Amino acid sequence: MSVLSGKKIVLGISGGIAAYKTASLVRLFIKAGAQVQVIMTPTSKDFITPLTLSTLSKRPVFSSFYKEEEESFSQFEPANKNLEWNNHVEIALWADLILISPATANTLSKMANGICDNILIATYLSANCPVYFAPAMDLDMYKHPSTISSFSKLKSYGNIIIPAEIGELASGLSGEGRMSEPENIVAFLENDLERKLPLLGKKIIITAGPTYEAIDPVRFIGNHSSGKMGFDLAQSAANFGASVILISGPSHLSIENNLVQLIRVVSAEDMYNESHKYFETSDVFIGAAAVADYKPKNSAVNKIKKAEVSFTIELEKTKDILASLGSIKKNQFLVGFALETENEIENAKLKVHKKNLDLIVLNSLQDKGSGFRSLTNKVTFIGKDFKVEKMELKSKEAVADDILNKIIAHYDA
């Protein structure tokens, strides 16, 4: 399974004859399970058509800042719908990595010196993700001092060169400067990413969402959890190289990543059974689900009729998934969540002790922007040494990365 699976790749194409190879490059990325957003410089369209690359990537191709014959970036809605533009900042934030291929001498010089005269360079300058570039030019251009200077500057910025190959060039000469073949570019990216993945080889189980406890075939006891925190954790864990089993209660969310196995369940009993099924062979367990504490002692076979003025349901406790796993864990790193409304720190510390947790992620409904059905979260980390670390309000995606970084720190210790 490729480490490119689930990755969002911006492929920047500049105007060189090697641009024709990018059709094969897009196909290889898609085959590996990646999403590809193509950005072209205006001159690159002389060598390969946007229609070809759009068809292969299944996304619109961009070559200008404003909508002309192009579609606007479909992942995001423009702030002002009367001004339809291709938002280079949003595209850069969307990307997990950027690859400039082919990278001509002209484009490399613009990248190195911040000459921002097209959407590709603007996206590059807005990027916070890893940037790779695959040079393509004639041998004398490749060895020219200005090109060598561009290489040096770009590498000093943290950009990563995919070295050109030696072979026949468009000029008819033979030498260094030929763009690396698409298969070799993909292999280079895979090898480089694998080397940098801190959780490669780790198996992580994550629970997400609510559980529904049946009263009868129609009604149930549940809660407002959307499952977003658990799904974001699964994506983050996969991005760090882990193999993930995501056990989700009822949720409208989905995830497309070959490193994530999604198992859908309904009740607390279902989630308990699936968690225990995979726990022994796991390295990490993250209990992010909002599991019901109680369930009806007896669930009616048929729909209960509205006949009486009042109606009583006898409840019984559900099995405590985290406590049961904490009692049998060996070397697993066990992470729990706590949603509290009072005495938050004290109650969370008690759960760390009682459930044999390595880390608890505390949410408080007192914090604005936290809790169910929110895109943000403000959490407090409490380790098994009872050290308290309060975090700022962040997106749930950023909180997921923070939690995974705690796990990475555990294995690096």
Side-chain angles (χ1 to χ4, degrees), residues 41-42 65 85 88-89 106-127:
T41 64
F65 288 103
W85 66 304
H88 59 278
V89 175
N106 182 47
T107 291
L108 288 170
S109 179
K110 291 179 180 180
M111 291 167 62
N113 295 289
I115 301 173
C116 187
D117 63 353
N118 62 53
I119 189 172
L120 174 55
I121 302 300
T123 303
Y124 162 74
L125 293 174
S126 302

Side-chain angles (χ1 to χ4, degrees), residues 182-346:
E183 294 82 1
N184 295 337
I185 289 174
V186 171
F188 183 99
L189 292 174
E190 288 177 331
N191 291 335
D192 192 65
L193 290 173
E194 281 186 358
R195 183 172 55 84
K196 296 173 181 176
L197 291 175
L199 292 176
L200 187 67
K202 299 296 182 188
K203 180 177 177 181
I204 298 180
I205 302 173
I206 300 170
T207 62
T211 63
Y212 289 175
E213 312 304 325
I215 297 171
D216 61 22
V218 178
R219 305 173 182 90
F220 59 85
I221 297 172
N223 57 61
H224 297 297
S225 173
S226 66
K228 178 170 171 53
M229 189 73 252
F231 277 75
D232 287 340
L233 280 164
Q235 185 61 61
S236 179
N239 288 343
F240 284 121
S243 173
V244 181
I245 295 176
L246 176 60
I247 305 170
S248 174
S251 172
H252 71 281
L253 299 175
S254 60
I255 189 166
E256 295 182 7
N257 191 308
N258 290 338
L259 291 174
V260 180
Q261 177 186 354
L262 175 59
I263 300 173
R264 295 195 182 273
V265 298
V266 176
S267 68
E269 182 74 18
D270 297 337
M271 190 170 283
Y272 178 95
N273 291 335
E274 291 297 325
S275 298
H276 278 264
K277 180 178 177 180
Y278 296 100
F279 183 69
E280 185 177 352
T281 58
S282 70
D283 298 291
V284 179
F285 185 95
I286 306 175
V291 184
D293 294 320
Y294 290 89
K295 65 178 181 178
K297 188 170 184 178
N298 297 297
S299 177
V301 176
N302 299 309
K303 180 183 176 183
I304 300 169
K305 300 297 182 181
K306 188 171 66 174
E308 304 296 332
V309 175
S310 63
F311 179 69
T312 302
I313 302 174
E314 185 179 0
L315 302 177
E316 63 180 359
K317 278 189 173 183
T318 57
K319 296 176 182 176
D320 191 318
I321 298 173
L322 276 174
S324 65
L325 297 178
S327 67
I328 62 171
K329 79 170 187 178
K330 296 176 183 176
N331 297 316
Q332 292 93 342
F333 190 84
L334 195 57
V335 182
F337 275 67
L339 179 62
E340 301 289 345
T341 58
E342 57 182 357
N343 300 323
E344 291 98 338
I345 300 297
E346 293 77 7

Side-chain angles (χ1 to χ4, degrees), residues 3-15:
V3 294
L4 295 174
S5 176
K7 290 282 188 282
K8 301 183 184 76
I9 300 175
V10 167
L11 173 60
I13 303 173
S14 57

